[in-house]
């Protein structure tokens, strides 16, 4: 196994001070998988003050944001290093954050780690390999197991249940049956974890190479019920009179399609994947069966947008992400009907201006939402959207759609109407903007004539 020369150099530095240093956790796992990264994790018998003293003068930068957990960070030649004192952390079954105490040995430290594949160590600088819990065997078998009993591991930190699903999605590993059983039995313990920690772990899962595996685990074990109950709620009952597409399976397919789009365009896009996951969460609340037995979900995009906003806020996502996802969910159905020739240039302008900076994502989400197995229908939908994008490009060449504004500004409105700043100006401005969207650019003379007409009728 390759070990970074920087790691060996640091190991010699700790050994000279009569301290142990071991490369551990994901650094060892990823090295064995041939996935070397820029982050290196270490554990040591040195306490934070001693670690900091050894890093200073050698590292290019150090930070102490993790000191309360025994961790000192450093940077050296482009590598990000974290050195943590042997520790054993546990929850008391009531609090929402771990209590930390220092451990006394490498094996004790490895025992408290989440999974066997993360409980291997390479001692530095001698490169002695330590694997007391069969992590190498689990790595070869592509299996997620725990160093001790799963119930003890998840009792120490319930977030590890969500992390198991995340690793299954990232590494494409299977979950050990005993681990899966404990996840199911203890899923309720996840409620002890702060929304921020759940959000961060869930985001990593959603951005993984295989998010569907992780999402299915969350639903099947009941973990999703704790922080994202809307996901399991998509498994609508299909009755004998009103058969319709399983919204849950459709949603997973949309997430998969979206992941294909964003990966091809430069990397995982959290906003797009969240929008794909949540785009239909309003369907259960809007499901209706008509007299003819047909199923409808009228206005589910608007209901879903409100639900998505509430859920993302509960998970403490930043406001910009909440706003972007909410907009995408609310607009994801707008395209349908375009193929029937009902859209005017005005409708295209509104589509672009309503989407604003989310237009590129809306293109991807709308295309991802096509999951029909009817090849003729799928080809027609793709062709219709190709036509819409071409039409947007044509109108963009003629007009600046990214900055659609009235043909008269506020100052011109006040001068023409002879009014001071106030509500009248705002109403006039909005009228002219609607007119601009409807008819395209107007000459100053046309805009002034329309404004006078509006004023005669409304003032």
């Amino acid at each position: 196994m390759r070990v970074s020369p920087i790691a060996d150099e640091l190991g010699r530095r700790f050994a000279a001070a009569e301290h142990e240093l071991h490369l551990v956790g994901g650094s060892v796992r990823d090295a064995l998988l041939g996935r070397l990264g820029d982050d290196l994790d270490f554990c040591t018998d040195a306490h934070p003050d001693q670690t900091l003293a050894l890093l200073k003068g050698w590292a290019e930068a150090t930070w102490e944001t993790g000191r309360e957990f025994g961790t000192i960070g450093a940077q050296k030649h482009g590598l990000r290093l974290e050195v943590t004192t042997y520790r054993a952390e546990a929850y008391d079954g009531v609090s929402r954050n771990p209590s930390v105490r220092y451990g006394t040995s490498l094996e004790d430290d490895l025992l408290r780690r989440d999974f066997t594949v993360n409980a291997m160590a390479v001692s530095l600088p001698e490169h002695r390999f330590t694997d007391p819990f069969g992590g190498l065997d689990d790595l070869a078998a592509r299996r997620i197991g725990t160093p001790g009993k799963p119930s003890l591991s998840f009792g120490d930190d319930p977030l590890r249940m969500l992390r198991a699903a995340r690793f299954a999605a990232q590494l494409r590993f299977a979950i050990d049956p005993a681990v899966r059983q404990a996840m199911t039995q203890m899923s309720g313990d996840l409620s002890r974890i702060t929304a921020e920690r759940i959000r961060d772990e869930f985001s990593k899962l959603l951005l993984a190479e295989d998010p569907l595996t992780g999402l299915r685990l969350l639903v099947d074990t009941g973990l999703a019920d704790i922080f994202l109950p809307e996901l399991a709620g998509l498994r609508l009952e299909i009755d004998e009179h009103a058969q319709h597409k399983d919204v849950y399976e459709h949603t997973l397919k949309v997430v998969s399609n979206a992941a294909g789009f964003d990966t091809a365009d430069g990397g995982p896009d959290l906003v797009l994947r969240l929008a794909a996951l949540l785009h239909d969460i309003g369907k259960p609340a809007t499901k209706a069966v008509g007299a003819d037995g047909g199923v409808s979900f009228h206005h589910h995009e608007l209901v879903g947008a409100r639900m998505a906003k509430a859920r993302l806020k509960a998970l403490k996502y930043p406001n910009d992400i909440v706003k972007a996802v909410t907009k995408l969910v609310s607009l994801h159905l707008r395209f349908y009907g375009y193929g029937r020739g009902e859209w005017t240039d005005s409708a295209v302008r509104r589509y672009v201006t309503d989407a604003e900076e989310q237009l590129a994502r809306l293109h991807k989400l709308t295309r991802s939402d096509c999951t029909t197995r009817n090849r003729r229908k799928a080809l027609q939908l793709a062709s219709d959207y190709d036509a819409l994008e071409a039409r947007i490009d044509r109108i963009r060449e003629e007009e600046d759609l990214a900055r659609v504004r009235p043909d008269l500004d506020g100052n011109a409105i006040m001068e023409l109407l002879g009014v001071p700043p106030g509500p009248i100006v705002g109403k006039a401005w909005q009228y002219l903007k609607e007119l601009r969207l409807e008819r395209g650019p107007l000459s100053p003379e046309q805009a002034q004539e329309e404004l006078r007409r509006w004023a005669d009728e409304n003032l």
Side-chain angles (χ1 to χ4, degrees):
M1 183 183 75
R2 287 179 53 210
V3 175
S4 167
I6 295 297
D8 282 336
E9 187 177 326
L10 186 59
R12 288 191 291 271
R13 193 173 182 89
F14 271 70
E18 299 185 346
H19 286 298
E20 298 177 7
L21 186 71
H22 313 274
L23 192 65
V24 291
S27 298
V28 177
R29 179 199 69 225
D30 290 345
L32 290 169
L33 289 172
R35 299 165 45 147
L36 287 174
D38 296 331
D39 294 338
L40 298 178
D41 294 325
F42 303 87
C43 68
T44 180
D45 61 342
H47 283 204
D49 285 340
Q50 295 168 314
T51 295
L52 193 60
L54 287 167
L55 289 172
K56 283 188 173 179
W58 175 82
E60 296 158 0
T62 59
W63 53 91
E64 302 178 51
T65 51
R67 175 185 277 273
E68 63 177 312
F69 300 107
T71 301
I72 300 296
Q75 181 175 314
K76 179 77 170 181
H77 295 346
L79 295 177
R80 183 183 176 91
L81 319 175
E82 288 196 344
V83 184
T84 303
T85 304
Y86 294 151
R87 67 188 188 194
E89 62 188 26
Y91 283 78
D92 59 13
V94 178
S95 66
R96 295 160 68 87
N97 289 298
S99 59
V100 178
R101 67 179 188 274
Y102 295 141
T104 58
S105 70
L106 173 62
E107 187 159 330
D108 286 344
D109 184 87
L110 297 178
L111 177 62
R112 58 150 289 276
R113 293 183 177 268
D114 49 9
F115 307 114
T116 57
V117 295
N118 294 331
M120 299 177 285
V122 175
S123 301
L124 302 170
E126 66 269 28
H127 292 193
R128 183 180 71 257
F129 182 63
T130 302
D131 179 22
F133 306 109
L136 191 58
D137 289 340
D138 281 349
L139 197 65
R142 304 183 67 82
R143 178 174 58 232
I144 300 294
T146 54
K149 290 182 179 180
S151 59
L152 296 177
S153 180
F154 298 153
D156 280 348
D157 186 352
L159 188 69
R160 289 173 174 174
M161 295 183 285
L162 183 51
R163 195 174 297 146
R166 189 249 292 184
F167 278 126
Q170 282 185 331
L171 302 175
R172 295 181 181 269
F173 279 20
I175 301 291
D176 183 88
V179 173
R180 187 187 184 102
Q181 182 179 14
M183 290 168 67
T184 303
Q185 292 174 343
M186 302 178 65
S187 59
D189 286 4
L190 191 64
S191 62
R192 294 197 272 116
I193 303 302
T194 61
E196 291 85 352
R197 295 184 73 213
I198 291 175
R199 173 202 64 204
D200 292 346
E201 199 63 50
F202 177 65
S203 295
K204 292 175 184 177
L205 183 157
L206 200 57
L207 291 172
E209 185 177 346
D210 180 23
L212 268 60
T213 291
L215 292 170
R216 288 188 188 280
L217 270 168
L218 296 182
V219 172
D220 293 346
T221 59
L223 286 165
D225 293 337
I226 306 304
F227 71 96
L228 190 61
E230 296 85 356
L231 181 57
L234 294 177
R235 295 186 294 187
L236 297 173
E237 179 180 355
I238 303 178
D239 62 64
E240 58 182 318
H241 303 294
Q243 294 189 359
H244 58 279
K245 186 186 300 182
D246 184 321
V247 182
Y248 173 67
E249 291 298 331
H250 163 72
T251 294
L252 294 184
K253 178 61 177 173
V254 175
V255 172
S256 178
N257 291 344
F261 272 118
D262 66 18
T263 300
D265 289 346
D269 181 343
L270 181 61
V271 168
L272 178 62
R273 295 194 186 191
L274 281 169
L277 183 68
L278 301 175
H279 79 286
D280 272 349
I281 62 170
K283 279 190 170 180
T286 57
K287 177 185 174 183
V289 181
D292 61 354
V295 176
S296 65
F297 306 97
H298 293 307
H299 304 302
H300 78 268
E301 73 280 14
L302 302 180
V303 173
R306 290 195 295 269
M307 294 172 63
K309 182 177 182 179
R311 178 53 56 197
L312 294 175
K313 280 185 171 294
L315 287 170
K316 309 295 185 184
Y317 276 97
N319 287 336
D320 60 333
I321 290 180
V322 175
K323 181 180 178 181
V325 173
T326 301
K327 181 182 290 291
L328 289 168
V329 173
S330 70
L331 292 176
H332 83 273
L333 279 187
R334 181 76 68 86
F335 160 73
Y336 293 93
Y338 177 81
R340 296 194 295 268
E342 300 171 355
W343 282 33
T344 61
D345 281 359
S346 170
V348 176
R349 291 188 197 99
R350 291 180 186 278
Y351 188 73
V352 173
T353 55
D354 286 351
E356 296 179 310
E357 69 277 6
Q358 299 306 321
L359 182 63
R361 286 188 174 116
L362 184 58
H363 288 335
K364 295 175 184 178
L365 178 61
T366 302
R367 290 183 182 275
S368 298
D369 197 22
C370 177
T371 62
T372 178
R373 296 179 182 177
N374 184 319
R375 180 169 174 78
R376 181 190 62 78
K377 184 178 179 181
L379 289 173
Q380 184 61 55
L381 286 170
S383 176
D384 289 345
Y385 209 84
D386 287 343
L388 174 59
E389 290 200 66
R391 193 170 174 186
I392 290 172
D393 290 340
R394 175 182 63 78
I395 296 176
R396 268 180 170 157
E397 291 179 2
E398 301 168 359
E399 311 170 28
D400 186 3
L401 288 182
R403 301 178 65 84
V404 171
R405 300 179 65 82
D407 296 286
L408 300 177
D409 63 17
N411 289 327
I413 291 171
M414 289 188 288
E415 181 178 350
L416 186 66
L417 297 183
V419 297
I424 290 176
V425 179
K427 291 177 181 179
W429 190 93
Q430 189 60 43
Y431 167 75
L432 289 175
K433 180 177 180 182
E434 291 296 319
L435 196 65
R436 169 74 169 74
L437 288 169
E438 185 67 31
R439 291 170 49 180
L442 301 177
S443 69
E445 294 75 19
Q446 289 174 316
Q448 291 168 8
E449 180 182 349
E450 291 292 343
L451 181 58
R452 290 190 183 98
R453 181 181 296 115
W454 175 85
D456 289 343
E457 296 174 355
N458 293 275
L459 299 182

